[in-house]
Amino acid sequence: MILPHAHPQRVALHNEIHARPPESMAAPLAISHIVMLADATQREASRQHVAALLRGHHLPPPDGQTGHIRMDVAGFRIRWELHTEFVTWTFSRAFDAQGFGEREPATAMEAVPQEWLAGLPGQCLNAMHLWVLDTRDFGSNSLVRHVLHEDTLVGSNVADGHGELYTDFALHADGFSRMVLLAGSITPRRLGRLVQQLLEIDTYRMAGLLGLPAARDAAAVLAYAESELAALAESIRAAGSDEEPQLLDRLTKLAGQVESEYASTHSRFSASAAYFELVDRRIGDIGESRLAGLQTIGEFINRRLSPARATCAWAVRRQDALSQRVSRISNLLRTRVEIEQQQSSQALLGAMNRRQGLQLKLQATVEGLSVAAITYYIVGLVSYLAKGAHAIGWPFSAEATAACAIPVVAFAVWWSLRGLHKRVLKS
C-alpha cells in the first residue's frame, strides 16, 4: 500500500508523543538533578558540553537536532534535556544503601567529573538530590531525620499508597535540596514515571517562581503609573482648552510606558502561569495521600506557592486594568479635544459666512457703480454720435439725445450684468 504525499513534519509530530519518556528504575538509586537557566546560545553550548563528555568516553555525541539524551557513561547514567528556557541535567547511579541515614549519603554527583560539571553553561536555577530506596522499613523518625531537616519535614504516601516520599524543601550545605523516596512495591516502570514527575515538580516550581521578581518590579512601575494617571485625570477635569495638548502629550507618554512594561513582562507571566499549572498536574499524577502527622507535598506547595502565583496573576490583572484605564482617559481627552476643534471649526465657518455676505454686499455695490460707469461711457458715445448726426439732419440736439439715452442704456447695462451674474452662479 502506498501512502499519499506526507506532511514534512508528520514523523516528527508523531514521535513527539514519545519525547522524553520515563525510564524503568530499580532501587536503591541515587539521583542528582540540575536545572540550568540558559538562553539560546547557552542551550547550544550545553549541547557541545554534553558532546565533549561523551567523546571523552568514546561515545557518540548528539547531532544538531537532538534535544534529549540518556546514556550510560562510566560509573553513572546521564539524562540531558533541552527546554524552552532551561536545560536539565540528571545523573543517576546505583549505590549501597546500607546504613543510609547514619551518615551523609552518597550522591550521583560524586561519580561525575567535577571539572566538567563546573563548566555547565547557564545559571543554576535548581539542584536536587533524590534517593530511591527499596525498603519501607525506615520511616520519618528513624531514617529521614538524619538526611532532612526535621522541623520542615513534609511527607506523603505516593503511587496510590505503594511508596512513601519525604522532603524538607530546604537548601542544604552543598546547595542542593533533597528528597527520599521509599519505593516499596512500586514496579520499575511506574517508579521511573514517579521519579520523573517528582523532578518535574521541583523544576517547574522554580521555573514558575521566575515570574515573582518580575511581578515585584512591575508593582513599582504600576504604582507610579497609577498615581500619574490619577493626577492626569484630575488635571483633565480642571484644564482649559489651551492646556489640553500638553495633557494629551503626557497621557501618550504614560500609555507608552504602560504598554512597554506589559510587553516586557507578559511572556514571563504567561510562562509562570503555565509552569504553575504543570506543577498542579504533576502533583495530581503522583497519587499522594496523607501520612500521619505530616503535611503532604501538595498541601505544602499549594500553601507556599499560592502567594507567588497570586502575585503574578495580580500583576497581570493590574497591568490589564491600567492599560484599559489609560485607553479610556485617552479616548475621553481626545473626544474633548475633537469637540473643541469642531466648535472652533463651526466658529470659523460662521466667520467665513459673514465675510462672504459682506463680500456679496460689496460686490453688489461694485456692480451698481459699474452700471453707472458703463452707462456714463456709453451715453458719452451716444452724445458724440448725436452731435455728428445733428449736423446731417438729426432733429434733436446732442444733449436731448444723451438725456433720453441715459435710462435706456442704464437698464440695458443692468440687465446684461444680471444675466451674466446668474450664469456664473449656475456654473
Side-chain angles (χ1 to χ4, degrees), residues 102-312:
E102 298 177 0
R103 58 186 179 274
E104 191 68 14
T107 67
M109 299 289 292
E110 298 171 359
V112 181
Q114 297 302 301
E115 183 177 353
W116 175 88
L117 188 63
L120 292 181
Q123 297 176 313
C124 183
L125 178 65
N126 188 30
M128 183 177 70
H129 293 310
L130 171 62
W131 291 278
V132 182
L133 306 179
D134 59 358
T135 178
R136 297 180 63 177
D137 295 337
F138 300 99
S140 61
N141 294 326
S142 58
L143 168 66
V144 180
R145 68 170 52 185
H146 301 292
V147 180
L148 306 173
H149 295 158
E150 187 175 5
D151 53 345
T152 58
L153 186 63
V154 177
S156 62
N157 289 311
V158 292
D160 300 323
H162 293 88
E164 295 180 11
L165 176 67
Y166 299 93
T167 185
D168 56 7
F169 288 103
L171 294 180
H172 292 254
D174 58 358
F176 282 71
S177 59
R178 296 182 173 184
M179 280 188 180
V180 177
L181 174 61
L182 305 181
S185 59
I186 303 177
T187 62
R189 290 185 61 84
R190 188 173 187 182
L191 179 60
R193 292 195 300 271
L194 178 60
V195 167
Q196 182 170 319
Q197 291 160 357
L198 295 176
L199 297 179
E200 289 177 350
I201 287 174
D202 215 46
T203 298
Y204 295 141
R205 173 182 68 88
M206 291 297 296
L209 287 172
L210 287 173
L212 183 59
R216 290 171 175 169
D217 293 340
V221 177
L222 293 173
Y224 166 77
E226 288 171 343
S227 63
E228 177 69 7
L229 184 61
L232 274 171
E234 180 63 24
S235 299
I236 291 171
R237 186 183 66 83
S241 59
D242 57 333
E243 298 175 322
E244 289 174 351
Q246 293 80 5
L247 292 175
L248 186 59
D249 182 65
R250 287 176 57 189
L251 191 58
T252 302
K253 291 180 180 179
L254 180 62
Q257 182 182 11
V258 171
E259 292 304 319
S260 175
E261 179 67 19
Y262 179 85
S264 64
T265 58
H266 177 70
S267 60
R268 180 71 273 154
F269 292 149
S270 298
S272 291
Y275 289 136
F276 287 141
E277 184 178 351
L278 286 172
V279 170
D280 293 338
R281 291 182 180 180
R282 295 300 181 268
I283 290 176
D285 291 340
I286 64 176
E288 67 172 348
S289 58
R290 183 178 300 279
L291 276 173
L294 291 178
Q295 196 174 23
T296 65
I297 306 295
E299 290 173 344
F300 183 89
I301 289 182
N302 182 63
R303 184 167 63 88
R304 300 299 177 91
L305 210 60
S306 292
R309 180 185 297 191
T311 299
C312 295

